[in-house]
Amino acid sequence: RRAAGGATTVAPLSLAAPTAPVPPAPTGRPRPPMHRYPASYLTQFAVLFRRSFMAQMRNPTDVASRTLLSTWVGTIGGLVFIATPAGPNSVFQRLAVLFFTMMIFELLPFCYMSLYIADRKFYAADVAGGLYHPCAYYLAHTAAASPFIALNAAIGGLSAYGLANLRYTPQAVLVYASLAALGALIAVQLVVLCVYLTPNQDLAFVLAVSYVAISILLGGFYAPLKDIKIAPLRWMSYLSYPRYTFQGMVRNELFQDRYRPQGCLSTALLGATEAEINNLRTNVTLQALSGAGGFDCKMVANGAGALDFWDFTLTWKAIIPGMACFYFGFHILSYLCLSRLHKAKR
């Protein structure tokens, strides 16, 4: 428009969408706001994801220390079992290094429990102000943190895997890294669930440690499940997520093995060809010694037999769905506990 002095001025343009007239509220009751949150769910997720991601990237010491911790723990474990030879003589050593890498990444999340407690406090403060929906926060925080957790577990696990000279094929390495990463994600989510479920860090620690300790004990390494005489304990092993992770790693390592050892085989020496097994079964001296309790001979021709000997009976059809159920089940329970915290703070 043109001003009185001849100069041209531009009226400001409003970017706000025209608002429709709001009908009057019923008598005696104020009308609630049209939108509960100041931004859409997609905007909430994008902003919260960026905040969570940048919070980790702006603290390189924290990121580097977690990666370094996973790396050196895996390296020490690999050096203990360095250059483990293939074959039946090293079956127990290979089981041991796989169990160690599985177990250590079930325990490392306890080092970061105080961080999850701090995140819960920040969340409670934001919820009191009604800034975002719990679902947007939970999904954004999970999406920002998961890659770091999976990467740390894969790096640390592969450090031990390579030094111990385990099965070195592209498929075997990829499967092992995937199992290590998924196992670490499940372990972290259990700790998060306990943090959301309990009112303080002490109770969260006790609850998480109790579950993890029993789960590791029933994982199948310390005692084959068939040797556990109390039936309820055998049933509880199906609630042990380390059992699925460990048996997946063992199946990936041993299933393709083919053994040709010399002489008789015992629990310390697994393996035999089919012809050797037939010869041992017809050997009168061996039968006499076995009957007298002189030794316990287990004749195994391949990796599948070794899995059966250790009672590692879970197949991929049970391992993969089982780990997926633990992962998504812990997430669902964590979100329900977070929603409960949200309702309590409103």
Side-chain angles (χ1 to χ4, degrees):
R1 65 186 180 184
R2 186 172 299 279
T8 301
T9 61
V10 180
L13 178 63
S14 175
L15 298 178
T19 57
V22 179
T27 306
R29 294 184 61 187
R31 177 168 294 279
M34 299 298 291
H35 300 284
R36 180 175 174 184
Y37 298 101
S40 66
Y41 289 114
L42 183 60
T43 301
Q44 294 175 40
F45 174 83
V47 173
L48 291 169
F49 175 82
R50 184 176 184 275
R51 186 182 74 171
S52 298
F53 184 80
M54 294 304 297
Q56 298 188 61
M57 296 302 295
R58 286 175 178 172
N59 189 358
T61 303
D62 178 56
V63 176
S65 63
R66 294 192 192 194
T67 305
L68 182 61
L69 177 61
S70 300
T71 303
W72 80 260
V73 169
T75 301
I76 295 298
L79 291 175
V80 171
F81 299 96
I82 192 167
T84 302
N89 291 338
S90 64
V91 168
F92 181 77
Q93 287 77 10
R94 286 188 282 167
L95 292 179
V97 68
L98 291 173
F99 183 79
F100 171 78
T101 57
M102 181 279 300
M103 181 182 65
I104 198 64
F105 292 111
E106 311 303 327
L107 301 179
L108 283 181
F110 290 100
C111 299
Y112 319 126
M113 180 176 282
S114 60
L115 300 178
Y116 305 133
I117 295 290
D119 288 339
R120 186 183 67 178
K121 293 179 179 179
F122 283 117
Y123 167 79
D126 290 344
V127 164
L131 297 180
Y132 46 75
H133 193 275
C135 183
Y137 167 83
Y138 188 84
L139 292 177
H141 189 70
T142 301
S146 295
F148 294 95
I149 298 170
L151 183 62
N152 288 340
I155 291 175
L158 289 176
S159 299
Y161 190 94
L163 289 171
N165 193 35
L166 299 184
R167 184 174 299 279
Y168 191 69
T169 64
Q171 179 180 352
V173 172
L174 179 61
V175 170
Y176 172 83
S178 301
L179 290 171
L182 182 55
L185 288 170
I186 295 173
V188 167
Q189 198 54 47
L190 172 66
V191 173
V192 173
L193 170 61
C194 294
V195 167
Y196 290 163
L197 184 62
T198 56
N200 56 62
Q201 183 172 344
D202 294 334
L203 288 178
F205 187 84
V206 170
L207 182 61
V209 167
S210 301
Y211 185 91
V212 171
I214 295 175
S215 296
I216 291 176
L217 181 62
L218 298 177
F221 180 74
Y222 292 116
L225 297 181
K226 62 184 178 182
D227 293 340
I228 299 178
K229 296 180 174 56
I230 301 177
L233 291 178
R234 293 196 298 271
W235 300 336
M236 287 174 60
S237 68
Y238 290 98
L239 300 178
S240 166
Y241 65 91
R243 178 190 179 197
Y244 295 83
T245 307
F246 179 53
Q247 291 204 25
M249 292 179 174
V250 172
R251 179 166 289 273
N252 179 58
E253 175 66 21
L254 297 182
F255 189 74
Q256 300 298 326
D257 278 5
R258 297 294 182 269
Y259 303 136
R260 282 192 60 83
Q262 300 295 325
C264 183
L265 307 173
S266 65
T267 56
L269 180 64
L270 303 178
T273 64
E274 296 294 342
E276 289 168 335
I277 289 177
N278 292 330
N279 290 334
L280 290 171
R281 286 173 177 169
T282 58
N283 189 301
V284 178
T285 304
L286 284 176
Q287 292 180 359
L289 287 173
S290 180
F295 64 92
D296 181 17
C297 183
K298 175 66 177 180
M299 297 168 287
V300 180
N302 49 41
L307 294 174
D308 181 67
F309 174 79
W310 287 93
D311 200 25
F312 294 148
T313 57
L314 294 180
T315 64
W316 290 117
K317 293 182 179 180
I319 292 169
I320 296 176
M323 295 184 70
C325 287
F326 279 109
Y327 179 72
F328 290 109
F330 285 163
H331 269 297
I332 292 172
L333 293 175
S334 298
Y335 177 72
L336 293 177
C337 293
L338 189 71
S339 300
R340 177 183 60 84
L341 179 63
H342 164 70
K343 294 176 181 179
K345 293 295 181 181
R346 280 194 303 174

